[in-house]
Amino acid sequence: MTIRLTVNGEARTYEGDPEQPLLWYLRDEAGLKGTKFGCGIAQCGACTVHLDGAATRTCVLPMAAVDGASVTTIEGLANEDGTLHPVQQAWVDEDVAQCGYCQAGQIMTAAYLLENNPDPSEEDIRMEMTNLCRCGTYSRIAKGVKRAAKTMQEG
């Protein structure tokens, strides 16, 4: 079975095990190491990417389910000119990351949240940012989301 997908704007094909999770394709075959393995049961969110625009956890998502899909990873989130996405920049400005392991997934979830809710309340952020952070940087994550929202609103 040939699986066709687009990763960060590049057309790709995959002919391996259709049950292999997308996470392992991205890391091992596409060489995109920003997406992390955390729990292996789609609960922690370290493996979050955008699949056809939606924040999606990839550690249990089989390749067969992504045929024809468009995937954006943390490596593809920045603007084409190399400037960081507003969420990425907010993470830097707010010094959000501590160990950093979960942060690519956090950023991908935050970017999706802001695409769908450009002015989230604190409650919205708590409800939508369900990724786990071992270091407990949740207050800094919320500040980063708010800063990114403001930047995006200002254009």
Side-chain angles (χ1 to χ4, degrees), residues 35-47:
T35 306
K36 303 288 193 261
F37 175 80
C39 66
I41 57 172
Q43 296 298 305
C44 75
C47 65

Side-chain angles (χ1 to χ4, degrees), residues 5-10 12 22-37 46-49 58 71-77 104:
L5 68 158
T6 303
V7 179
N8 297 333
E10 180 183 329
R12 295 178 177 254
L22 175 59
L23 170 65
W24 299 118
Y25 169 78
L26 293 171
R27 289 184 58 79
D28 296 343
E29 297 185 38
L32 300 168
K33 305 292 187 185
T35 306
K36 303 288 193 261
F37 175 80
C47 65
T48 302
V49 301
T58 62
V71 176
T72 303
T73 69
I74 190 72
E75 292 91 346
L77 192 61

Side-chain angles (χ1 to χ4, degrees), residues 33-146:
K33 305 292 187 185
T35 306
K36 303 288 193 261
F37 175 80
C39 66
I41 57 172
Q43 296 298 305
C44 75
C47 65
T48 302
V49 301
H50 292 173
L51 180 67
D52 291 332
T56 304
R57 295 175 181 186
T58 62
C59 65
V60 297
L61 183 67
M63 289 299 294
V66 300
D67 189 33
S70 177
V71 176
T72 303
T73 69
I74 190 72
E75 292 91 346
L77 192 61
N79 297 310
E80 288 184 21
D81 67 2
T83 59
L84 295 177
H85 183 281
V87 175
Q88 292 171 307
Q89 188 61 56
W91 252 237
V92 171
D93 295 342
E94 291 294 337
D95 197 23
V96 171
Q98 188 165 325
C99 84
Y101 194 83
C102 70
Q103 295 305 311
Q106 299 280 4
I107 289 168
M108 297 305 286
T109 300
Y112 176 71
L113 164 64
L114 294 175
E115 265 309 300
N116 294 285
N117 182 353
D119 189 22
S121 66
E122 294 290 329
E123 177 71 14
D124 294 335
I125 294 168
R126 277 194 303 279
M127 296 299 294
E128 298 299 322
M129 294 296 299
T130 60
N131 296 38
L132 300 178
C133 174
R134 296 175 192 166
C135 300
T137 64
Y138 298 110
S139 62
R140 292 194 306 219
I141 289 167
K143 286 172 79 174
V145 172
K146 291 301 264 183

